[in-house]
Amino acid sequence: MTSSPLDRLLRPQTIAVFGGREARRVIEQCDRMGFSGKIWPVHPKLDEVLGRPCYRSLSDLPSAPDAAFVGVNRTLTVEIVRSLSAAGAGGAVCYASGFSEAMGELGDGAELQQALLEAAGDMPILGPNCYGLINGLDGALLWPDQHGMQRIERGVAILTQSSNIAINLTMQTRGLPIAYVVTAGNQAQTSLADIACALIDDPRVTAVGLHVEGFGDLASLECLAAAARRSRKPVVVLKVGRSEQAKRAAVSHTASLAGSDAVADAVLARLGLGRVQSLPALLEILKLLHVAGPLASRSISSMSCSGGEASLMADAAVGRNVEFPPLPPQQLPRLRRVLGEMVTLSNPLDYHTFVWGDLARQTEAFSAMFEGGYALNLVILDFPRDDRCDASEWAMTVDAVIAAASATGALAGILATLPENMPEPIANRLMANGIIAFSGIDETIIAVEVAAGIGQAWGAPPPLPLLDVPCVDGEIETLTEADAKTELAACGLPVPRGLQAFSPREAGEQAERLGFPVVLKALGIAHKTEAGAVALNLKDVEAVSNAAAAMPLNAGYLVEKMIDPPVAELIVGAIRDPVFGLSLTLGAGGILVELLEDSVILPLPATKTEIYAAISRLKLAKLIYGYRGRPKGDLDAAVVAIAAAADYVVRNAAWLEELDINPLMVLPEGQGVAAVDALIRRRR
């Protein structure tokens, strides 16, 4: 295991606790979990706490503690942290609130948090405004409350900014073995990504789940992704901030930025970090990753003794990037032999109840299904209430699944459609035998999708480093369309031939030089169509002059050659996100932008391979590929043009605020593309 600055804090041998009630609770929790190290209470007035002698001050301790729980008021927290750092302590949990998360209520919150950072120096701290950590592997807790964890030998790590959510997650009864729970509060110094990197190096940790209210710096996120890939320990993120209310709640809670949800999706996918949208989904994917790690494909088999359950499974996959492939021919004879003639052989499979209560026949049926080469094999099984029913035949089905998985070497899971129908003792037994105990159909399908996505990302070459360039200060200027196109053309982006003019008469003359038909635009007007500042397909000098005279005159006119009708129109844009910086957006352009809402986001820099893949995810891609016999678009030229736009964004990242190319006309195959409108906003 490699060394980390957080090692002493996360895996302490000696713990000092400062404060009254909360400090006492930390000792209680350590005792309950069987912590074998030293605990040193520090209090100016008490003589002992829970049978341990109390030290009057930090200077009286036998040595600098590996970890300290600081459960005092916010002002005194700063002083104790300063003393701990000077003494050479390994780290501290800062329990107190009233720092940057309370800037709206306390005028000195941000100032006090800065003072805390300076006091800590190089010593790691968690928080402030957090409960701390539970290490279920070594029984070490810096945690002032109840929890639902127990000592285990290996399991997942769960990290969150929210202490209350952390408590709730420890109370799960789904069979998920939790090795660590760590809260980070305001992340003043140590981010969730920093903590995750340190925990990934623990050989007893199998996977990491993050509940994130706001990201810190991109560099730490990239380091986490690289560590996960290197160690083959997947990381899954539940990020809030999809709604404006959630963003406001995150700011009020930890003074953190949520950023654009769509950009976050794209960045996490690029890095090979999974993403889920709910706490139940987070628990289910962590169970899958704990047992199996990322999946090699998106193919699933499903067996149930009910057609209703088979239909629910099939429906849950609609809109998800998972598949129930048809049964291969080699599976059919054995399944037919064991299940009989009345069973329709399909995937998902309703195997009826002909083999129910027969261990040998169930084992053979499951084995026959598991040999189909699927990434995951599911058996739907909701257990009856143990206070009113006899579950012996359900237990027999569990035995059959375990035996079939062992005989075939296939990955299997038992799925209860309702969480309450998966008893914890059963879930624990399944997980101990390498069978994933799933709860909830939708959450299980999401788990498969996410695990396969991580597997796909890890199977590809490592991604390029993300574009992480801060914007310079300066007044924002908006270039005219003509100037914007001149800059983009210099980067290799095809634009229509055009000339500028500054009077209606000159516009007509320039049109004649270009050759008809032409397009006329008034420069310096953002929404040209609404303002009557664009005229199409003008065929003579008089038409151009008259159209110019009717337009509002601002910064002159742009006369361009009319482009032939395209196969498709794309929008290519970039806008600065407060968290993730600049990324590229591709989508259906022209009048279809708002109508279709068809777009994908590409983190930068982007390769041509990634651009091809991004286009393929658009609904509009069907037009470019030649929809229903229509001409194909010049896909290769579109990719080259988009790559040129991406290169422009990367090279100008320090100044650029916004780029909007709409539409980028994709002409028939072999005829190229043309950026017929462009907007650039940048810092001076």
Side-chain angles (χ1 to χ4, degrees):
M1 185 165 60
T2 59
S3 177
S4 163
L6 293 171
D7 283 348
R8 290 174 66 195
L9 175 59
L10 296 172
R11 291 175 284 274
Q13 295 296 312
T14 55
I15 298 174
V17 294
F18 296 79
R21 182 181 60 181
E22 285 75 20
R24 180 186 180 92
R25 287 177 175 173
V26 169
I27 300 174
E28 289 174 346
Q29 297 305 324
C30 283
D31 287 345
R32 286 185 59 199
M33 191 77 95
F35 177 59
S36 59
K38 301 290 186 182
I39 301 177
W40 299 325
V42 181
H43 196 282
K45 297 179 181 178
L46 298 178
D47 293 325
E48 61 88 28
V49 178
L50 296 176
R52 290 174 173 83
C54 205
Y55 297 87
R56 289 286 177 262
S57 68
L58 173 64
S59 60
D60 294 332
L61 295 181
S63 63
D66 290 328
F69 180 86
V70 184
V72 299
N73 68 57
R74 65 193 191 114
T75 305
L76 189 54
T77 293
V78 175
E79 297 308 314
I80 292 176
V81 165
R82 180 176 289 110
S83 299
L84 285 166
S85 179
V93 168
C94 300
Y95 173 78
S97 57
F99 292 86
S100 66
E101 87 288 350
M103 287 188 295
E105 297 76 27
L106 299 173
D108 64 345
E111 179 183 337
L112 198 63
Q113 183 155 306
Q114 183 59 38
L116 178 64
L117 283 173
E118 293 170 359
D122 294 332
M123 182 187 74
I125 59 171
L126 298 183
N129 183 34
C130 79
Y131 264 30
L133 68 97
I134 303 171
N135 174 344
L137 301 166
D138 307 306
L141 295 90
L142 289 94
W143 190 264
D145 205 342
Q146 298 183 88
H147 61 89
M149 287 174 58
Q150 59 185 354
R151 292 290 288 268
I152 60 170
E153 295 183 357
R154 61 189 294 272
V156 304
I158 298 179
L159 287 64
T160 172
Q161 289 171 257
S162 168
S163 298
N164 201 58
I165 284 179
I167 292 175
N168 296 342
L169 290 172
T170 70
M171 303 298 177
Q172 61 86 28
T173 57
R174 296 173 178 235
L176 176 65
I178 304 177
Y180 290 92
V181 163
V182 186
T183 64
N186 292 7
Q187 301 185 94
Q189 178 213 66
T190 308
S191 71
L192 290 175
D194 296 330
I195 301 164
C197 284
L199 293 179
I200 278 177
D201 281 335
D202 190 325
R204 302 167 294 178
V205 170
T206 55
V208 177
L210 306 180
H211 168 255
V212 177
E213 296 175 26
F215 290 109
D217 61 292
L218 284 180
S220 62
L221 201 59
E222 288 186 287
C223 287
L224 172 58
R229 181 188 286 256
R230 182 176 59 251
S231 64
R232 314 308 287 177
K233 294 182 182 179
V235 174
V236 181
V237 178
L238 166 56
K239 177 194 170 292
V240 303
R242 302 178 72 194
S243 66
E244 290 304 315
Q245 294 92 333
K247 290 181 182 179
R248 287 196 295 270
V251 170
S252 66
H253 182 202
T254 57
S256 55
L257 288 171
S260 161
D261 194 62
V263 177
D265 262 348
V267 169
L268 293 173
R270 163 89 165 254
L271 295 176
L273 303 174
R275 185 177 184 189
V276 293
Q277 308 290 357
S278 70
L279 292 172
L282 179 65
L283 294 174
E284 296 310 306
I285 179 60
L286 286 176
K287 284 193 284 188
L288 171 54
L289 295 174
H290 168 73
V291 171
L295 296 180
S297 76
R298 303 177 187 276
S299 66
I300 320 169
S301 78
S302 172
M303 298 182 74
S304 60
C305 55
S306 160
E309 291 167 342
S311 298
L312 286 173
M313 289 297 293
D315 283 352
V318 175
R320 292 285 175 187
N321 197 3
V322 299
E323 60 176 342
F324 289 101
L327 300 177
Q330 62 268 25
Q331 277 189 285
L332 301 180
R334 187 179 178 191
L335 282 169
R336 175 64 66 208
R337 186 174 65 253
V338 67
L339 295 177
E341 296 298 325
M342 295 181 63
V343 173
T344 301
L345 299 182
S346 62
N347 184 25
L349 173 62
D350 169 15
Y351 68 89
H352 294 216
T353 56
F354 301 122
V355 297
W356 185 259
D358 186 325
L359 177 61
R361 290 183 68 195
Q362 275 194 318
T363 301
E364 186 176 359
F366 297 152
S367 296
M369 193 66 162
F370 293 178
E371 288 179 339
Y374 307 99
L376 175 64
N377 301 274
L378 296 171
V379 175
I380 316 302
L381 191 66
D382 281 69
F383 293 83
R385 296 175 60 118
D386 58 6
D387 59 341
R388 301 176 187 173
C389 305
D390 177 6
S392 57
E393 290 184 345
W394 282 258
M396 183 185 299
T397 302
V398 170
D399 293 338
V401 171
I402 292 173
S406 176
T408 61
L411 178 64
I414 290 183
L415 165 57
T417 62
L418 300 176
E420 57 268 31
N421 293 350
M422 174 63 75
E424 186 177 23
I426 296 291
N428 289 337
R429 182 187 172 214
L430 288 170
M431 298 289 286
N433 281 276
I435 309 295
I436 305 145
F438 286 114
S439 297
I441 291 176
D442 289 338
E443 289 83 0
T444 301
I445 295 295
I446 291 168
V448 173
E449 181 181 46
V450 172
I454 297 172
Q456 181 179 5
W458 284 7
L464 296 170
L466 289 168
L467 178 64
D468 189 11
V469 179
C471 190
V472 299
D473 291 330
E475 183 182 348
I476 295 179
E477 63 174 351
T478 301
L479 274 60
T480 68
E481 181 182 341
D483 290 341
K485 285 181 172 176
T486 298
E487 289 217 358
L488 294 172
C491 278
L493 197 79
V495 300
R497 286 176 54 216
L499 296 169
Q500 291 191 64
F502 298 93
S503 70
R505 178 180 175 182
E506 187 182 6
E509 294 170 349
Q510 297 288 49
E512 194 165 31
R513 291 188 182 94
L514 284 173
F516 297 100
V518 298
V519 177
L520 177 70
K521 303 176 184 179
L523 294 173
I525 298 173
H527 303 288
K528 296 182 179 65
T529 302
E530 293 85 342
V534 60
L536 304 177
N537 204 29
L538 303 175
K539 298 181 178 178
D540 55 48
V541 172
E542 184 179 3
V544 173
S545 298
N546 290 340
M551 288 181 182
L553 180 59
N554 189 4
Y557 306 97
L558 177 62
V559 188
E560 291 183 330
K561 283 288 291 181
M562 187 77 181
I563 301 298
D564 291 333
V567 171
E569 295 183 358
L570 293 170
I571 183 172
V572 182
I575 193 164
R576 187 174 294 277
D577 182 87
V579 174
F580 302 104
L582 288 161
S583 57
L584 209 66
T585 299
L586 309 180
I591 63 172
L592 300 178
V593 172
E594 290 86 5
L595 185 63
L596 287 186
E597 296 183 345
D598 178 25
S599 65
V600 295
I601 291 174
L602 264 177
L604 294 173
T607 65
K608 288 183 179 178
T609 300
E610 290 167 336
I611 294 171
Y612 275 110
I615 292 175
S616 74
R617 304 207 308 269
L618 296 173
K619 301 170 190 173
L620 193 76
K622 291 181 179 179
L623 290 178
I624 300 175
Y625 298 154
Y627 186 62
R628 293 193 171 183
R630 294 182 56 173
K632 293 181 180 180
D634 201 330
L635 176 61
D636 292 342
V639 170
V640 170
I642 293 166
D647 183 60
Y648 175 83
V649 174
V650 170
R651 287 200 279 166
N652 294 275
W655 301 275
L656 190 66
E657 282 292 321
E658 182 180 359
L659 169 70
D660 187 73
I661 301 168
N662 183 29
L664 175 70
M665 288 187 168
V666 183
L667 302 174
E669 197 169 24
Q671 297 182 33
V673 298
V676 301
D677 198 0
L679 169 74
I680 292 175
R681 295 174 64 245
R682 66 185 182 191
R683 301 278 176 177
R684 292 186 187 275

